[in-house]
Amino acid sequence: QVQLVESGGGLVQAGGSLRLSCAASGSMFWYRMGWYRQAPGKQRELVATISSGGSINYADSVKGRFTISRDGAKNTVYLQMNSLKPEDTAVYYCNVYRASLDYWGQGTQVTVSS
């Protein structure tokens, strides 16, 4: 079983920055890794994904502000969040995926004040 440990959430003022980290229990070389978020009253939505080959996909709402990356060992995925807006407030979830395997972290709260 794969375990995912998220960190880096917190409270920040609008315009500020946070860096989220997600560490996996084993090598994720062959997995797509990514971040999703869920705000109160809304469905969970994709934020960004990065494949084992480095292909990246962003939600339109975060393009130009957020950057997803992964380390050389493929064990950790990061989300650098700049120019944060109150509408970015949500619980952020780490995800790893390959074929029929799909794992989720427990989430980290990000709150952006106006």
Side-chain angles (χ1 to χ4, degrees):
Q1 302 284 358
V2 173
Q3 291 185 314
L4 305 175
V5 180
E6 299 145 324
S7 62
L11 175 64
V12 65
Q13 293 187 9
S17 298
L18 288 172
R19 182 177 172 86
L20 305 184
S21 299
C22 174
S25 59
S27 175
M28 296 290 104
F29 187 86
W30 297 109
Y31 287 76
R32 185 191 70 191
M33 307 184 74
W35 293 92
Y36 294 70
R37 68 186 182 186
Q38 187 168 21
K42 294 185 177 181
Q43 297 293 311
R44 186 175 298 186
E45 65 178 355
L46 181 147
V47 177
T49 61
I50 182 168
S51 74
S52 61
S55 297
I56 293 173
N57 185 40
Y58 292 106
D60 288 342
S61 59
V62 307
K63 287 180 180 177
R65 299 188 298 119
F66 292 8
T67 303
I68 190 170
S69 61
R70 61 197 297 171
D71 69 10
K74 312 293 185 180
N75 287 343
T76 305
V77 62
Y78 306 94
L79 186 69
Q80 180 66 45
M81 309 165 67
N82 298 328
S83 302
L84 283 162
K85 305 175 181 179
E87 47 263 48
D88 295 318
T89 296
V91 178
Y92 284 70
Y93 296 91
C94 180
N95 170 257
V96 298
Y97 172 81
R98 183 181 68 83
S100 62
L101 303 176
D102 194 8
Y103 301 99
W104 294 89
Q106 292 189 325
T108 184
Q109 177 71 48
V110 172
T111 303
V112 184
S113 62
S114 61

